[in-house]
Amino acid sequence: MKKLALFIILCACTISVKAQNDIDVLLAGGIEDAQRFTNDYLAPGTNGIMHSMNANWFNSAKVKPLGGFEISVMVNASLIKDEHKTFNLNTADYNNVEFVQGPSSQLVSSVLGENNPPIFVEIEYEDPVFGSQTTQVELPEGIGANSANLLPTAFIQGALGLSSGLELKARFVPKFENEDVSLSMYGAGLQMEITDWFPTSKMWPVALSGLVAYSHLDGSYNLLESSGIDGENQRLENNTNTWLFQVLASTKLPVINFYGGIGYIKGKSESDLLGDYRVTDGIFFTETITDPFSVSSDVSAVRGTIGTKLKLGFFRLNAEYHLSEFDAFSVGVNFGFR
């Protein structure tokens, strides 16, 4: 399970975490139990990332004229609340899991939290020789105190004016790849200004726009070298897709402007544990599990945005804050023409 936490941390561009090998015992207790735990354990992390990767799509409701462009480097971060750090594990929902101490329903660490003190569960499994057997395992921790309570993302983004009140946007993260990790993110958006739809627009001190944006994340983490589980082609793959629908307004001043709006985020993150896993316990028990399971989480949330932008010639600097299920903030350095 710690491998899953590590992948989420890599996706969030944060710190790495020392791995543990508890996943083999959880699989021995049954795929259904391992899948249920993993889904609840990962969901706060994947949901937080979906909020983080949708920050800073705009810094003004005023679109650029034909040929106007802007290149931006931005850093976003979702804030981790206490409610995101734990989830309720009720052993009545599991087939082969019981707490070693305490009641049958307890709050345990998600991928964003930590168990302090450690929490142990008893896993029951069937040995082909000795029949029903049990073993104790410590539940995995998340990023906990090492996270600084943030889930960051970063992008390079471009915007181009298309005339007729339209502005095209694109963002990406250059593909990161080494022997264990592959990660890439990209997105595209279209902003339409509707200020001129109103007959008194020339007298207004604000501009009005609508925005639709799509974001995608692909990631793969090779588990084979560090999992401690015998097998082949072991990996975790993640596919995340989100949509943002936003209405926004901004002032129309020459140097310092303020902007804000109301938006709706819709997204889904899917993680697949793939490969062959030979789960063993003792001398006689061995089982090969292929492509054990998939888990997913969904986001469907309204958000409010406030921000400010400083413009000095071709140089622009903006900062914004989002209120939603996961609050988020972002800063951007922008270079543009017109």
Side-chain angles (χ1 to χ4, degrees), residues 115-166:
N115 291 321
N116 187 19
I119 298 177
F120 292 86
V121 293
E122 190 171 77
I123 305 294
E124 183 178 0
Y125 64 94
E126 285 295 323
D127 187 285
V129 176
F130 299 106
S132 179
Q133 301 291 306
T134 60
T135 186
Q136 289 188 10
V137 58
E138 180 182 348
L139 288 180
E141 306 251 2
I143 56 179
N146 295 321
S147 70
N149 291 323
L150 299 175
L151 281 175
T153 55
F155 292 95
I156 298 172
Q157 180 166 302
L160 177 66
L162 300 179
S163 78
S164 301
L166 295 175

Side-chain angles (χ1 to χ4, degrees), residues 13-200:
C13 307
T14 60
I15 61 172
S16 61
V17 174
K18 185 179 183 297
Q20 295 178 354
N21 297 324
D22 294 340
I23 191 171
D24 58 345
V25 182
L26 289 166
L27 284 172
I31 294 176
E32 183 178 345
D33 282 355
Q35 183 179 27
R36 179 183 297 275
F37 178 87
T38 303
N39 196 74
D40 292 340
Y41 175 75
L42 280 184
T46 53
N47 290 355
I49 289 172
M50 284 190 275
H51 280 267
S52 179
M53 63 194 286
N54 275 285
N56 220 334
W57 267 111
F58 56 88
N59 54 42
S60 174
K62 184 69 178 176
V63 302
K64 295 167 181 56
L66 178 64
F69 68 89
E70 186 173 74
I71 303 297
S72 307
V73 178
M74 55 195 64
V75 177
N76 313 326
S78 292
L79 304 181
I80 302 173
K81 304 174 185 177
D82 287 344
E83 64 194 71
H84 303 139
K85 296 180 180 180
T86 60
F87 69 94
N88 185 62
L89 193 160
N90 188 346
T91 57
D93 298 327
Y94 289 74
N95 299 315
N96 302 300
V97 177
E98 297 289 342
F99 285 108
V100 173
Q101 292 182 334
S104 61
S105 181
Q106 299 182 33
L107 289 177
V108 301
S109 173
S110 75
V111 69
L112 303 180
E114 58 180 339
N115 291 321
N116 187 19
I119 298 177
F120 292 86
V121 293
E122 190 171 77
I123 305 294
E124 183 178 0
Y125 64 94
E126 285 295 323
D127 187 285
V129 176
F130 299 106
S132 179
Q133 301 291 306
T134 60
T135 186
Q136 289 188 10
V137 58
E138 180 182 348
L139 288 180
E141 306 251 2
I143 56 179
N146 295 321
S147 70
N149 291 323
L150 299 175
L151 281 175
T153 55
F155 292 95
I156 298 172
Q157 180 166 302
L160 177 66
L162 300 179
S163 78
S164 301
L166 295 175
E167 180 176 311
L168 180 66
K169 303 172 184 287
R171 57 170 46 175
F172 76 101
V173 174
K175 187 172 184 179
F176 171 79
E177 191 169 14
N178 64 20
E179 60 183 12
D180 292 325
V181 178
S182 174
L183 178 68
S184 65
M185 289 186 279
Y186 61 83
L190 185 66
Q191 182 174 338
M192 173 180 287
E193 185 177 354
I194 61 173
T195 310
D196 293 337
W197 292 12
F198 303 92
T200 58

Side-chain angles (χ1 to χ4, degrees), residues 218-286:
D218 273 319
S220 179
Y221 180 57
N222 180 8
L223 302 174
L224 195 59
E225 293 299 322
S226 56
S227 72
I229 308 170
D230 190 25
E232 293 82 32
N233 201 26
Q234 298 172 353
R235 66 198 187 278
L236 181 72
E237 294 187 354
N238 178 269
N239 182 293
T240 298
N241 297 281
T242 67
W243 285 93
L244 171 66
F245 305 92
Q246 185 93 27
V247 291
L248 57 143
S250 69
T251 57
K252 298 188 290 186
L253 303 174
V255 179
I256 298 177
N257 282 282
F258 301 92
Y259 61 91
I262 298 294
Y264 176 73
I265 297 174
K266 179 71 173 177
K268 185 172 186 177
S269 181
E270 299 175 294
S271 299
D272 303 312
L273 186 63
L274 303 174
D276 293 328
Y277 299 80
R278 281 187 285 277
V279 180
T280 63
D281 194 279
I283 301 174
F284 301 103
F285 178 79
T286 300

Side-chain angles (χ1 to χ4, degrees), residues 278-331:
R278 281 187 285 277
V279 180
T280 63
D281 194 279
I283 301 174
F284 301 103
F285 178 79
T286 300
E287 179 183 5
T288 298
I289 302 174
T290 300
D291 297 344
F293 54 75
S294 299
V295 295
S296 65
S297 65
D298 296 277
V299 160
S300 181
V302 175
R303 77 170 190 185
T305 299
I306 55 173
T308 185
K309 178 181 179 181
L310 173 66
K311 181 179 179 182
L312 298 172
F314 71 93
F315 173 78
R316 298 94 187 262
L317 181 67
N318 77 291
E320 63 187 36
Y321 193 87
H322 304 275
L323 294 169
S324 190
E325 177 188 354
F326 280 81
D327 292 351
F329 67 90
S330 179
V331 293

